[in-house]
Structures are given as C-alpha cells and as structure tokens.
Amino acid sequence: MLINTVLVFLQNILPIFVVFSLLFAQQDARYKSSSLESSQSSSQSRNQSSNQSSNKEKNNIYYLPIIYLLKTTGIGLIIVFLLSYFMPMLSQLFSGTGLEILFSILFSLIYCFIVISFLLNQTSSHKKSQDKMLLDQQTLTQQKTLVSLAILLLVLCVHGSYFSLYVMSLTIQNTALETLYSGIVVGVIIGTGICLSIAILLYFILVSLAKKLRSQIVCYFLLLFGVGQLIQGLQLLEQVDIISSTAHLWSTNYLIAEDSELGYFLTILFGYEATPSAMELIVYLSAIIVPILIAKINTSKQNSTASFMKGTS
Amino acid sequence: MPNNLKSSKVWHKVKLVISYMLLAMASYSALAQRQEFNIILKSHLFYPTEMTIPSNKKIKLIIDNQDDSVEEFDSFSLNREKVLFPKQKSVIYIGPLSPGRYAFFGEYHPSSARGMIIVSGAELDLPADGETDNVN
C-alpha cells in the first residue's frame, strides 16, 4: 500500500508542484531580467526620476503574493473535496461520460489560461522596451496575478481530486488503522518529499539559465505544460468516443517507456506520449504553434504602431 | 466593401465549417456501432484476465466494478484511464489497434488487478455488432 500511495501521489500531485515551480520561475525570471535592465539604465543615465519609476516597476513584477497563494490553495482544497465527493454522481451524467466531459473542459481551461499567461508575458516583455507607463504595468500585473491563480486553482482541482478519491477509497475500506497510517500518511510524506525535490530542482535549473533567454524559456516550458494538459483532455474525449481516435502513429516505448520514472516526469512536464495518434499529434503541434504565431503577430503589430508614433512625433 | 462586413462574412464561413466538422464527428461517433466486450472487477481481480479483440477496429469495453471500493482502470499502452466506481458499470472505447499485447491494471490495486488485451490480426469469431458478449 505504501509504494502504491507514493506512486499515485506522484502521478497526481507532481503536476501541482511542477506548475508552482514554473510560475515562480516565470516571476523570478521577469524580476531578474528587469533588475538587470534597470541597473544598466541607471548606470548609463543616472537619472533620478527613471530610478524611481524602475523601483515601482520592480514592485509590480512580484505578482504572486503568498497570501493570495494560500487563499487559492484553501479554495482549491475545498473544491477538491467537493469534486471527489460528487464524482460518482458526475460520472453517471451524459450516458456515463460526465467525468470525461467535465475534466476535458477543465484541462482545456488550464491550457487556455496558460496561453493567456504566455501572451501576457510576451506583451509585457515587449511593452517594457517600448514604453514604461506605470498604469499599464499595474493593469498587466493584476491580469498576470489573476491568470496565474486561475492556473494554480484549476491544476489543483483537476489533479488533486484524483488523489483525494484514492485516499477516500482507502479510508472506506475496512482496513486497520495502523495499515492506513503507514499507507497514507507515510506515503504522502515520502511523495511530498520527492515532489518538493523535483520542483525545487526544476525551479533552480530554470532560474540559472542564460539571463537573456531565461524569461522566454520559462514561458515556453509553461506553454508545453499546458499543451500536455490539453492532450490529457483530448485523450479523455477519445476514451468515450466523443472524438474519434485513430491508430497509433509510432511507439517510442523502447526509448522512454511511459510507465518509467522518466516517462512519468516527461508526461507531466510536456505531455510526452509514447504512442500518439494522428489527432493527438495535430492537436499537440497546433496548440504550440498557434499561441506562438499570435504572440509574433502581436509583437509585429506593436512594433509597427510604435514606429508609426515615432514618425509622427 | 467595408472591412468589417468582409471580416464578418469570413468569420461566418469559418463558424459554418467548424459546425459542420463537429456535427460530422458527433454523428459519426453516434451512428458507428461498436463491438462490445465485458470485463468484471471482483475482489480486486479482473475477469477475464486476457481478452482477444480484432485488430484495426474500435471496440466498446464495459467494465463492471462489483467491488465495494473505487478502482481506476489504467493502461499506458492503450492510453486509457477510467475511474471505476463501486457497483457501477463504466464504458470506454479502445482502438483501432495493431496486433499485439496491451497490458492494463487497476491503479489502486496494481499487484492483483492486472489483465491483458490481445489484439489479433486473424479473423475472430465474434458476435454481431451491438451484442454484448465476452471473448475468452
């Protein structure tokens, strides 16, 4: 029971730790790149007013306050409990496809919010170089806070509810208290230790990347995580025949088995699939390419507007 | 022609195409008759433990959880993961698959709840579409 609890915990709770790690890394990357830019600009110009505005800007860059995170986690845990309690009833909706439909919607929402976060970060990195209007930065910071909290809440609800269901199934069984203790409590402690180690390691790897690329790489990592979530939603719809699935295109199980430790981690990190179908491949590639194209179009539009404004002034 | 009018017409056409595609996908899924196969979960064991299904065909798998506890049907090779609630029947669709052996297990009791789906390239003596029956 102990080993199984650890495995179920890792499979369901590791995505929550990974998304925490990615969001913190994204925030930290923005802060460090901003402080680097402001220090460069202050040494060059030594202008007092620009220093004041850059200090205010730095304050706006920390968009994930601890108090908000705690509140979101609290709300998330309540939703997790309610979701796992009503899961048997939900599963009977729509001719037994209720859970698949609900969870595929939630997975798609995670992806949508991650895309919004990706586009906001691309816009903010561009805007910073064009104009430093404080009001714009504050609105952007608020938007980033809301989107990040929405991502955390959704990931917590979706993945947490499966683990909560496992714990509830164990407690319902007529098992001795000691066995339950060793099975659940010790399993959760070991699982938390492993998840925490992976999340901290991932965070430090991401924040120790090259300074110029750090912010971009973290954004792309988060986008890939979102695409992985979308693919999980798609597989749920294929499972109940709402979306027609096709034959597997290839199998890379001989390279990295999906049920191996590395396979688990890669599946969570960017939706690694050893045996993808044509539909999954098309959705996966489109889900990466479309947001990148939108970001590029936005940037080129802003560039042309800025050059036009320069010309008129 | 004003740009707004032009773009709204294009958007209308795009919506029409998407609607037709979704309708076609939904009606295809609804009309398609799938061969049905049954699996029973009892005392954390799957019955039958091995099941043969035809290759390159999508099938309907009905899993009847007769236990008092929740289980999760899981298979990495089939890309399937379904929560099985106590005293309830759950349905999943599998395939089309190429010939081979595809393992599945109960995630909450992986040491006992294990099984194998064998996809056979040979013609199987199967019941007519829509009828429920066990193979093996």
Side-chain angles (χ1 to χ4, degrees):
Chain A
M1 191 192 279
L2 175 66
I3 294 166
N4 200 41
T5 305
V6 175
L7 285 173
V8 175
F9 188 91
L10 286 180
Q11 202 178 4
N12 294 309
I13 306 296
L14 188 58
I16 301 170
F17 280 82
V18 166
V19 83
F20 260 99
S21 176
L22 288 172
L23 288 172
F24 274 120
Q26 192 179 46
Q27 179 186 248
D28 206 59
R30 293 225 62 76
Y31 170 71
K32 284 191 175 169
S33 62
S34 147
S35 60
L36 186 79
E37 275 175 24
S38 67
S39 68
Q40 280 173 349
S41 67
S42 65
S43 66
Q44 281 168 1
S45 64
R46 296 186 186 282
N47 190 334
Q48 202 180 356
S49 61
S50 74
N51 273 341
Q52 279 173 351
S53 66
S54 65
N55 280 337
K56 280 179 186 172
E57 197 183 305
K58 256 190 269 179
N59 290 335
N60 285 330
I61 287 158
Y62 274 123
Y63 55 87
L64 282 175
I66 296 293
I67 190 80
Y68 283 1
L69 288 177
L70 289 174
K71 278 181 186 172
T72 310
T73 311
I75 295 166
L77 289 175
I78 294 167
I79 299 173
V80 162
F81 176 76
L82 289 173
L83 206 57
S84 49
Y85 184 78
F86 289 109
M87 256 192 191
M89 197 187 74
L90 290 168
S91 73
Q92 294 302 300
L93 297 175
F94 310 111
S95 321
T97 61
L99 268 189
E100 276 81 2
I101 291 172
L102 175 71
F103 276 86
S104 60
I105 291 169
L106 292 176
F107 277 123
S108 310
L109 278 176
I110 294 173
Y111 170 72
C112 289
F113 278 112
I114 286 175
V115 168
I116 294 168
S117 165
F118 177 77
L119 294 175
L120 280 176
N121 275 292
Q122 297 292 319
T123 312
S124 71
S125 64
H126 174 74
K127 259 196 172 162
K128 210 150 36 91
S129 59
Q130 294 298 328
D131 55 275
K132 294 189 173 185
M133 286 178 76
L134 202 63
L135 196 70
D136 268 13
Q137 283 292 333
Q138 276 176 344
T139 319
L140 211 62
T141 307
Q142 280 175 350
Q143 286 172 346
K144 274 190 222 170
T145 308
L146 287 174
V147 171
S148 302
L149 293 178
I151 295 167
L152 282 178
L153 187 68
L154 283 166
V155 173
L156 187 67
C157 292
V158 171
H159 295 279
S161 58
Y162 277 107
F163 185 72
S164 168
L165 197 71
Y166 171 72
V167 174
M168 279 165 86
S169 78
L170 285 181
T171 47
I172 288 166
Q173 287 173 37
N174 297 323
T175 326
L177 201 68
E178 281 178 26
T179 323
L180 270 179
Y181 173 78
S182 62
I184 298 173
V185 179
V186 180
V188 167
I189 291 168
I190 296 170
T192 309
I194 298 169
C195 286
L196 213 57
S197 312
I198 293 171
I200 291 169
L201 204 63
L202 180 68
Y203 171 80
F204 280 108
I205 289 171
L206 288 173
V207 295
S208 62
L209 288 168
K211 281 169 188 170
K212 280 183 181 176
L213 293 170
R214 187 186 294 148
S215 174
Q216 290 289 319
I217 289 173
V218 176
C219 279
Y220 284 109
F221 259 93
L222 195 62
L223 181 66
L224 286 176
F225 175 84
V227 176
Q229 301 296 300
L230 186 72
I231 292 298
Q232 283 190 42
L234 180 76
Q235 284 176 348
L236 287 179
L237 292 179
E238 282 183 343
Q239 177 168 292
V240 288
D241 209 21
I242 290 174
I243 287 180
S244 190
S245 62
T246 49
H248 298 160
L249 291 175
W250 65 73
S251 174
T252 48
N253 265 319
Y254 62 94
L255 283 173
I256 304 167
E258 244 181 276
D259 53 348
S260 65
E261 291 84 357
L262 185 62
Y264 267 118
F265 181 63
L266 295 181
T267 305
I268 291 164
L269 200 60
F270 61 85
Y272 168 71
E273 181 56 64
T275 51
S277 65
M279 175 70 92
E280 284 165 12
L281 186 71
I282 292 166
V283 172
Y284 192 94
L285 292 176
S286 318
I288 297 171
I289 293 165
V290 171
I292 294 171
L293 276 179
I294 294 170
K296 294 273 180 217
I297 291 166
N298 275 347
T299 313
S300 64
K301 264 186 184 176
Q302 281 173 352
N303 273 336
S304 59
T305 315
S307 58
F308 177 73
M309 294 291 278
K310 252 185 185 175
T312 51
S313 64
Chain B
M1 192 183 283
N3 273 343
N4 280 348
L5 197 68
K6 209 174 180 180
S7 62
S8 72
K9 271 192 172 179
V10 172
W11 179 234
H12 183 72
K13 277 182 185 172
V14 169
K15 278 201 287 189
L16 208 69
V17 171
I18 292 170
S19 312
Y20 276 129
M21 278 168 67
L22 287 172
L23 193 72
M25 276 165 67
S27 52
Y28 171 77
S29 293
L31 292 172
Q33 287 286 312
R34 313 285 185 206
Q35 282 173 341
E36 292 181 2
F37 294 84
N38 279 355
I39 288 182
I40 293 168
L41 179 71
K42 200 173 183 181
S43 308
H44 311 304
L45 291 166
F46 283 116
Y47 299 101
T49 50
E50 282 195 357
M51 167 182 277
T52 308
I53 65 166
S55 62
N56 302 317
K57 274 184 183 172
K58 187 178 274 191
I59 63 124
K60 186 178 179 180
L61 188 65
I62 302 164
I63 310 158
D64 184 7
N65 183 3
Q66 296 183 355
D67 283 338
D68 296 322
S69 60
V70 184
E71 186 54 90
E72 193 174 316
F73 177 93
D74 206 332
S75 173
F76 290 102
S77 49
L78 295 167
N79 289 342
R80 294 291 177 263
E81 203 172 339
K82 175 89 179 172
V83 180
L84 311 171
F85 292 99
K87 312 290 181 196
Q88 278 186 17
K89 283 185 180 179
S90 308
V91 175
I92 56 167
Y93 291 83
I94 293 171
L97 295 166
S98 48
R101 293 169 74 83
Y102 299 83
F104 63 87
F105 61 96
E107 197 175 292
Y108 299 170
H109 302 90
S111 51
S112 57
R114 301 194 79 86
M116 187 74 74
I117 286 178
I118 300 159
V119 180
S120 169
E123 282 291 312
L124 296 172
D125 186 22
L126 294 167
D129 285 359
E131 285 176 30
T132 307
D133 199 7
N134 280 332
V135 177
N136 282 344

Short mmCIF file of all heavy atoms in Angstrom, two decimals, chain B residues 55-102:
data_model
loop_
_atom_site.label_atom_id
_atom_site.label_comp_id
_atom_site.label_asym_id
_atom_site.label_seq_id
_atom_site.Cartn_x
_atom_site.Cartn_y
_atom_site.Cartn_z
N SER B 55 -8.11 -6.63 -34.68
CA SER B 55 -7.18 -5.52 -34.95
C SER B 55 -7.85 -4.47 -35.84
O SER B 55 -8.81 -4.76 -36.57
CB SER B 55 -5.92 -6.05 -35.64
OG SER B 55 -6.26 -6.63 -36.87
N ASN B 56 -7.33 -3.26 -35.78
CA ASN B 56 -7.77 -2.12 -36.60
C ASN B 56 -9.27 -1.82 -36.51
O ASN B 56 -9.89 -1.40 -37.49
CB ASN B 56 -7.36 -2.33 -38.07
CG ASN B 56 -5.87 -2.49 -38.20
OD1 ASN B 56 -5.10 -1.76 -37.57
ND2 ASN B 56 -5.45 -3.47 -38.97
N LYS B 57 -9.86 -2.13 -35.37
CA LYS B 57 -11.28 -1.82 -35.15
C LYS B 57 -11.43 -1.19 -33.77
O LYS B 57 -10.77 -1.60 -32.82
CB LYS B 57 -12.11 -3.10 -35.21
CG LYS B 57 -12.52 -3.49 -36.61
CD LYS B 57 -13.42 -4.70 -36.58
CE LYS B 57 -13.76 -5.13 -38.00
NZ LYS B 57 -14.48 -6.39 -38.01
N LYS B 58 -12.35 -0.24 -33.71
CA LYS B 58 -12.63 0.34 -32.40
C LYS B 58 -13.68 -0.51 -31.69
O LYS B 58 -14.67 -0.92 -32.31
CB LYS B 58 -13.15 1.77 -32.55
CG LYS B 58 -13.30 2.49 -31.23
CD LYS B 58 -13.77 3.90 -31.43
CE LYS B 58 -12.61 4.81 -31.67
NZ LYS B 58 -12.99 6.23 -31.61
N ILE B 59 -13.45 -0.81 -30.42
CA ILE B 59 -14.42 -1.63 -29.68
C ILE B 59 -14.88 -0.90 -28.41
O ILE B 59 -14.23 0.02 -27.93
CB ILE B 59 -13.82 -3.02 -29.30
CG1 ILE B 59 -12.61 -2.86 -28.37
CG2 ILE B 59 -13.48 -3.85 -30.52
CD1 ILE B 59 -12.75 -3.60 -27.09
N LYS B 60 -16.04 -1.36 -27.91
CA LYS B 60 -16.60 -0.78 -26.69
C LYS B 60 -16.32 -1.74 -25.54
O LYS B 60 -16.69 -2.92 -25.63
CB LYS B 60 -18.10 -0.61 -26.89
CG LYS B 60 -18.82 0.11 -25.79
CD LYS B 60 -20.29 0.24 -26.18
CE LYS B 60 -21.10 0.94 -25.12
NZ LYS B 60 -22.51 1.05 -25.51
N LEU B 61 -15.66 -1.26 -24.51
CA LEU B 61 -15.33 -2.11 -23.36
C LEU B 61 -16.17 -1.68 -22.15
O LEU B 61 -16.08 -0.53 -21.71
CB LEU B 61 -13.83 -1.97 -23.05
CG LEU B 61 -13.25 -2.91 -22.01
CD1 LEU B 61 -13.30 -4.35 -22.48
CD2 LEU B 61 -11.79 -2.53 -21.73
N ILE B 62 -16.97 -2.63 -21.66
CA ILE B 62 -17.82 -2.33 -20.50
C ILE B 62 -17.18 -2.98 -19.28
O ILE B 62 -17.01 -4.21 -19.25
CB ILE B 62 -19.25 -2.84 -20.71
CG1 ILE B 62 -19.85 -2.22 -21.98
CG2 ILE B 62 -20.14 -2.51 -19.50
CD1 ILE B 62 -21.08 -2.93 -22.50
N ILE B 63 -16.83 -2.16 -18.29
CA ILE B 63 -16.17 -2.69 -17.09
C ILE B 63 -17.15 -2.59 -15.92
O ILE B 63 -17.59 -1.49 -15.57
CB ILE B 63 -14.87 -1.92 -16.77
CG1 ILE B 63 -14.00 -1.82 -18.03
CG2 ILE B 63 -14.09 -2.61 -15.66
CD1 ILE B 63 -12.99 -0.69 -18.00
N ASP B 64 -17.45 -3.74 -15.34
CA ASP B 64 -18.42 -3.79 -14.24
C ASP B 64 -17.66 -3.95 -12.92
O ASP B 64 -17.09 -5.00 -12.64
CB ASP B 64 -19.36 -5.00 -14.49
CG ASP B 64 -20.46 -5.08 -13.45
OD1 ASP B 64 -20.57 -4.15 -12.63
OD2 ASP B 64 -21.22 -6.08 -13.46
N ASN B 65 -17.65 -2.90 -12.12
CA ASN B 65 -16.96 -2.96 -10.83
C ASN B 65 -17.93 -3.52 -9.78
O ASN B 65 -18.83 -2.82 -9.32
CB ASN B 65 -16.47 -1.57 -10.42
CG ASN B 65 -15.68 -1.58 -9.13
OD1 ASN B 65 -15.44 -2.64 -8.53
ND2 ASN B 65 -15.27 -0.41 -8.67
N GLN B 66 -17.74 -4.78 -9.40
CA GLN B 66 -18.64 -5.40 -8.41
C GLN B 66 -18.10 -5.29 -6.98
O GLN B 66 -18.72 -5.79 -6.05
CB GLN B 66 -18.86 -6.88 -8.79
CG GLN B 66 -19.58 -7.02 -10.13
CD GLN B 66 -19.87 -8.45 -10.51
OE1 GLN B 66 -19.46 -9.39 -9.82
NE2 GLN B 66 -20.57 -8.63 -11.61
N ASP B 67 -16.95 -4.63 -6.85
CA ASP B 67 -16.37 -4.43 -5.51
C ASP B 67 -17.06 -3.27 -4.78
O ASP B 67 -17.81 -2.50 -5.39
CB ASP B 67 -14.87 -4.12 -5.62
CG ASP B 67 -14.07 -5.38 -5.89
OD1 ASP B 67 -14.57 -6.48 -5.58
OD2 ASP B 67 -12.93 -5.26 -6.41
N ASP B 68 -16.73 -3.14 -3.48
CA ASP B 68 -17.30 -2.03 -2.70
C ASP B 68 -16.38 -0.81 -2.69
O ASP B 68 -16.67 0.18 -2.02
CB ASP B 68 -17.54 -2.48 -1.25
CG ASP B 68 -18.59 -3.57 -1.18
OD1 ASP B 68 -19.56 -3.48 -1.96
OD2 ASP B 68 -18.44 -4.52 -0.38
N SER B 69 -15.25 -0.92 -3.40
CA SER B 69 -14.30 0.20 -3.38
C SER B 69 -14.05 0.74 -4.79
O SER B 69 -14.31 0.06 -5.78
CB SER B 69 -12.97 -0.26 -2.78
OG SER B 69 -12.45 -1.30 -3.55
N VAL B 70 -13.53 1.95 -4.83
CA VAL B 70 -13.23 2.59 -6.12
C VAL B 70 -11.96 1.97 -6.71
O VAL B 70 -11.07 1.56 -5.97
CB VAL B 70 -13.00 4.12 -5.92
CG1 VAL B 70 -12.78 4.82 -7.24
CG2 VAL B 70 -14.16 4.74 -5.18
N GLU B 71 -11.90 1.87 -8.00
CA GLU B 71 -10.70 1.38 -8.70
C GLU B 71 -10.48 2.28 -9.90
O GLU B 71 -11.40 2.98 -10.33
CB GLU B 71 -10.89 -0.09 -9.11
CG GLU B 71 -9.67 -0.76 -9.70
CD GLU B 71 -8.43 -0.69 -8.82
OE1 GLU B 71 -8.22 -1.59 -8.00
OE2 GLU B 71 -7.67 0.29 -8.99
N GLU B 72 -9.26 2.26 -10.41
CA GLU B 72 -9.01 3.04 -11.63
C GLU B 72 -8.41 2.13 -12.68
O GLU B 72 -7.31 1.59 -12.49
CB GLU B 72 -8.09 4.22 -11.33
CG GLU B 72 -8.06 5.23 -12.47
CD GLU B 72 -7.27 6.48 -12.16
OE1 GLU B 72 -7.43 7.03 -11.05
OE2 GLU B 72 -6.50 6.90 -13.03
N PHE B 73 -9.13 1.97 -13.78
CA PHE B 73 -8.61 1.19 -14.91
C PHE B 73 -7.54 2.03 -15.58
O PHE B 73 -7.78 3.18 -15.95
CB PHE B 73 -9.76 0.89 -15.89
CG PHE B 73 -9.36 0.15 -17.12
CD1 PHE B 73 -9.44 -1.24 -17.17
CD2 PHE B 73 -8.91 0.82 -18.26
CE1 PHE B 73 -9.07 -1.94 -18.32
CE2 PHE B 73 -8.53 0.13 -19.41
CZ PHE B 73 -8.63 -1.25 -19.44
N ASP B 74 -6.35 1.46 -15.72
CA ASP B 74 -5.23 2.22 -16.27
C ASP B 74 -4.45 1.40 -17.27
O ASP B 74 -4.19 0.22 -17.03
CB ASP B 74 -4.31 2.66 -15.12
CG ASP B 74 -3.55 3.93 -15.45
OD1 ASP B 74 -3.30 4.16 -16.65
OD2 ASP B 74 -3.21 4.68 -14.54
N SER B 75 -4.11 2.01 -18.38
CA SER B 75 -3.25 1.33 -19.35
C SER B 75 -2.41 2.36 -20.09
O SER B 75 -2.95 3.27 -20.72
CB SER B 75 -4.09 0.54 -20.34
OG SER B 75 -3.26 0.02 -21.36
N PHE B 76 -1.10 2.22 -19.98
CA PHE B 76 -0.21 3.15 -20.68
C PHE B 76 -0.21 2.87 -22.18
O PHE B 76 -0.19 3.79 -22.99
CB PHE B 76 1.22 3.03 -20.13
CG PHE B 76 1.35 3.57 -18.74
CD1 PHE B 76 1.40 2.72 -17.65
CD2 PHE B 76 1.39 4.94 -18.51
CE1 PHE B 76 1.52 3.21 -16.36
CE2 PHE B 76 1.50 5.44 -17.22
CZ PHE B 76 1.56 4.58 -16.15
N SER B 77 -0.22 1.57 -22.55
CA SER B 77 -0.14 1.23 -23.96
C SER B 77 -1.44 1.55 -24.70
O SER B 77 -1.43 1.80 -25.90
CB SER B 77 0.22 -0.25 -24.12
OG SER B 77 -0.62 -1.03 -23.30
N LEU B 78 -2.57 1.53 -23.98
CA LEU B 78 -3.85 1.84 -24.62
C LEU B 78 -4.21 3.33 -24.50
O LEU B 78 -5.18 3.78 -25.10
CB LEU B 78 -4.97 1.02 -23.98
CG LEU B 78 -4.92 -0.50 -24.15
CD1 LEU B 78 -5.91 -1.17 -23.20
CD2 LEU B 78 -5.26 -0.90 -25.58
N ASN B 79 -3.44 4.07 -23.71
CA ASN B 79 -3.73 5.50 -23.42
C ASN B 79 -5.11 5.66 -22.78
O ASN B 79 -5.89 6.56 -23.15
CB ASN B 79 -3.67 6.36 -24.69
CG ASN B 79 -2.28 6.54 -25.20
OD1 ASN B 79 -1.32 6.32 -24.46
ND2 ASN B 79 -2.15 6.91 -26.45
N ARG B 80 -5.43 4.81 -21.85
CA ARG B 80 -6.75 4.88 -21.22
C ARG B 80 -6.63 4.94 -19.70
O ARG B 80 -5.76 4.30 -19.11
CB ARG B 80 -7.61 3.66 -21.61
CG ARG B 80 -7.99 3.60 -23.09
CD ARG B 80 -8.96 4.70 -23.46
NE ARG B 80 -9.29 4.70 -24.88
CZ ARG B 80 -8.72 5.49 -25.78
NH1 ARG B 80 -7.76 6.32 -25.43
NH2 ARG B 80 -9.10 5.46 -27.05
N GLU B 81 -7.51 5.73 -19.08
CA GLU B 81 -7.52 5.90 -17.63
C GLU B 81 -8.96 6.20 -17.22
O GLU B 81 -9.50 7.24 -17.61
CB GLU B 81 -6.60 7.06 -17.25
CG GLU B 81 -6.10 7.01 -15.84
CD GLU B 81 -5.04 8.07 -15.56
OE1 GLU B 81 -4.43 8.57 -16.50
OE2 GLU B 81 -4.87 8.39 -14.39
N LYS B 82 -9.59 5.27 -16.51
CA LYS B 82 -11.01 5.47 -16.19
C LYS B 82 -11.28 5.08 -14.74
O LYS B 82 -10.92 3.98 -14.30
CB LYS B 82 -11.84 4.58 -17.13
CG LYS B 82 -13.33 4.57 -16.85
CD LYS B 82 -14.06 5.67 -17.59
CE LYS B 82 -15.54 5.63 -17.34
NZ LYS B 82 -16.23 6.79 -17.90
N VAL B 83 -11.93 5.98 -14.00
CA VAL B 83 -12.28 5.68 -12.61
C VAL B 83 -13.49 4.75 -12.61
O VAL B 83 -14.49 5.02 -13.27
CB VAL B 83 -12.59 6.97 -11.83
CG1 VAL B 83 -12.95 6.65 -10.38
CG2 VAL B 83 -11.42 7.93 -11.87
N LEU B 84 -13.37 3.64 -11.87
CA LEU B 84 -14.47 2.67 -11.79
C LEU B 84 -15.10 2.79 -10.41
O LEU B 84 -14.48 2.42 -9.40
CB LEU B 84 -13.94 1.24 -12.00
CG LEU B 84 -13.02 1.01 -13.21
CD1 LEU B 84 -12.40 -0.38 -13.15
CD2 LEU B 84 -13.79 1.19 -14.51
N PHE B 85 -16.31 3.30 -10.35
CA PHE B 85 -16.97 3.48 -9.06
C PHE B 85 -17.66 2.18 -8.63
O PHE B 85 -18.06 1.37 -9.48
CB PHE B 85 -17.97 4.63 -9.14
CG PHE B 85 -17.29 5.96 -9.30
CD1 PHE B 85 -17.18 6.56 -10.54
CD2 PHE B 85 -16.72 6.58 -8.20
CE1 PHE B 85 -16.53 7.76 -10.69
CE2 PHE B 85 -16.06 7.79 -8.35
CZ PHE B 85 -15.96 8.38 -9.58
N PRO B 86 -17.74 1.95 -7.30
CA PRO B 86 -18.29 0.68 -6.81
C PRO B 86 -19.73 0.44 -7.28
O PRO B 86 -20.53 1.37 -7.32
CB PRO B 86 -18.22 0.81 -5.29
CG PRO B 86 -17.95 2.24 -5.01
CD PRO B 86 -17.30 2.80 -6.20
N LYS B 87 -19.98 -0.82 -7.66
CA LYS B 87 -21.32 -1.26 -8.10
C LYS B 87 -21.83 -0.46 -9.31
O LYS B 87 -23.02 -0.20 -9.44
CB LYS B 87 -22.34 -1.16 -6.96
CG LYS B 87 -21.91 -1.76 -5.64
CD LYS B 87 -21.85 -3.26 -5.69
CE LYS B 87 -21.43 -3.83 -4.35
NZ LYS B 87 -21.00 -5.23 -4.46
N GLN B 88 -20.90 -0.04 -10.15
CA GLN B 88 -21.30 0.70 -11.36
C GLN B 88 -20.60 0.13 -12.58
O GLN B 88 -19.49 -0.40 -12.49
CB GLN B 88 -20.90 2.18 -11.23
CG GLN B 88 -21.89 3.01 -10.45
CD GLN B 88 -21.53 4.49 -10.48
OE1 GLN B 88 -20.75 4.95 -11.31
NE2 GLN B 88 -22.10 5.25 -9.55
N LYS B 89 -21.26 0.28 -13.73
CA LYS B 89 -20.64 -0.14 -15.00
C LYS B 89 -20.06 1.09 -15.69
O LYS B 89 -20.72 2.12 -15.74
CB LYS B 89 -21.68 -0.80 -15.90
CG LYS B 89 -22.03 -2.22 -15.51
CD LYS B 89 -22.96 -2.86 -16.51
CE LYS B 89 -23.27 -4.29 -16.07
NZ LYS B 89 -24.19 -4.96 -16.98
N SER B 90 -18.86 0.95 -16.18
CA SER B 90 -18.22 2.07 -16.88
C SER B 90 -17.90 1.63 -18.32
O SER B 90 -17.60 0.47 -18.56
CB SER B 90 -16.93 2.46 -16.19
OG SER B 90 -17.17 2.67 -14.82
N VAL B 91 -17.93 2.59 -19.22
CA VAL B 91 -17.68 2.28 -20.63
C VAL B 91 -16.49 3.08 -21.14
O VAL B 91 -16.38 4.27 -20.88
CB VAL B 91 -18.93 2.63 -21.48
CG1 VAL B 91 -18.64 2.42 -22.97
CG2 VAL B 91 -20.13 1.80 -21.05
N ILE B 92 -15.59 2.37 -21.84
CA ILE B 92 -14.52 3.08 -22.55
C ILE B 92 -14.40 2.48 -23.96
O ILE B 92 -14.81 1.34 -24.19
CB ILE B 92 -13.14 3.02 -21.83
CG1 ILE B 92 -12.69 1.59 -21.57
CG2 ILE B 92 -13.12 3.84 -20.60
CD1 ILE B 92 -11.22 1.52 -21.15
N TYR B 93 -13.85 3.24 -24.85
CA TYR B 93 -13.64 2.77 -26.23
C TYR B 93 -12.16 2.58 -26.47
O TYR B 93 -11.35 3.41 -26.05
CB TYR B 93 -14.24 3.77 -27.22
CG TYR B 93 -15.75 3.81 -27.16
CD1 TYR B 93 -16.39 4.58 -26.19
CD2 TYR B 93 -16.52 3.06 -28.03
CE1 TYR B 93 -17.77 4.62 -26.11
CE2 TYR B 93 -17.90 3.08 -27.96
CZ TYR B 93 -18.52 3.86 -26.99
OH TYR B 93 -19.89 3.89 -26.91
N ILE B 94 -11.84 1.49 -27.14
CA ILE B 94 -10.42 1.16 -27.38
C ILE B 94 -10.21 0.96 -28.88
O ILE B 94 -11.05 0.38 -29.55
CB ILE B 94 -10.04 -0.13 -26.63
CG1 ILE B 94 -10.08 0.11 -25.12
CG2 ILE B 94 -8.67 -0.62 -27.03
CD1 ILE B 94 -9.92 -1.16 -24.32
N GLY B 95 -9.04 1.39 -29.35
CA GLY B 95 -8.66 1.11 -30.73
C GLY B 95 -8.93 2.29 -31.65
O GLY B 95 -9.36 3.34 -31.18
N PRO B 96 -8.64 2.10 -32.93
CA PRO B 96 -8.14 0.90 -33.61
C PRO B 96 -6.67 0.61 -33.24
O PRO B 96 -5.87 1.53 -33.16
CB PRO B 96 -8.28 1.24 -35.09
CG PRO B 96 -8.32 2.73 -35.14
CD PRO B 96 -8.83 3.22 -33.85
N LEU B 97 -6.39 -0.69 -33.03
CA LEU B 97 -5.06 -1.09 -32.58
C LEU B 97 -4.43 -2.09 -33.55
O LEU B 97 -5.13 -2.86 -34.19
CB LEU B 97 -5.14 -1.76 -31.20
CG LEU B 97 -5.62 -0.88 -30.03
CD1 LEU B 97 -5.98 -1.76 -28.85
CD2 LEU B 97 -4.55 0.12 -29.64
N SER B 98 -3.12 -2.04 -33.62
CA SER B 98 -2.39 -3.02 -34.43
C SER B 98 -2.18 -4.28 -33.59
O SER B 98 -2.19 -4.21 -32.35
CB SER B 98 -1.06 -2.44 -34.89
OG SER B 98 -0.41 -1.87 -33.79
N PRO B 99 -1.99 -5.46 -34.23
CA PRO B 99 -1.84 -6.70 -33.46
C PRO B 99 -0.73 -6.61 -32.41
O PRO B 99 0.33 -6.02 -32.65
CB PRO B 99 -1.49 -7.74 -34.54
CG PRO B 99 -2.10 -7.19 -35.78
CD PRO B 99 -1.98 -5.71 -35.67
N GLY B 100 -0.99 -7.16 -31.24
CA GLY B 100 -0.01 -7.12 -30.15
C GLY B 100 -0.69 -7.34 -28.81
O GLY B 100 -1.88 -7.64 -28.75
N ARG B 101 0.09 -7.19 -27.75
CA ARG B 101 -0.43 -7.39 -26.40
C ARG B 101 -0.42 -6.06 -25.65
O ARG B 101 0.59 -5.35 -25.64
CB ARG B 101 0.42 -8.43 -25.66
CG ARG B 101 0.30 -9.84 -26.25
CD ARG B 101 1.35 -10.75 -25.67
NE ARG B 101 1.04 -11.15 -24.31
CZ ARG B 101 0.23 -12.14 -23.97
NH1 ARG B 101 -0.37 -12.85 -24.92
NH2 ARG B 101 0.01 -12.45 -22.72
N TYR B 102 -1.52 -5.70 -25.06
CA TYR B 102 -1.67 -4.41 -24.38
C TYR B 102 -2.09 -4.66 -22.92
O TYR B 102 -3.20 -5.14 -22.67
CB TYR B 102 -2.71 -3.54 -25.09
CG TYR B 102 -2.34 -3.21 -26.53
CD1 TYR B 102 -2.60 -4.11 -27.57
CD2 TYR B 102 -1.72 -2.01 -26.85
CE1 TYR B 102 -2.26 -3.81 -28.88
CE2 TYR B 102 -1.37 -1.70 -28.16
CZ TYR B 102 -1.65 -2.61 -29.16
OH TYR B 102 -1.31 -2.31 -30.46
#
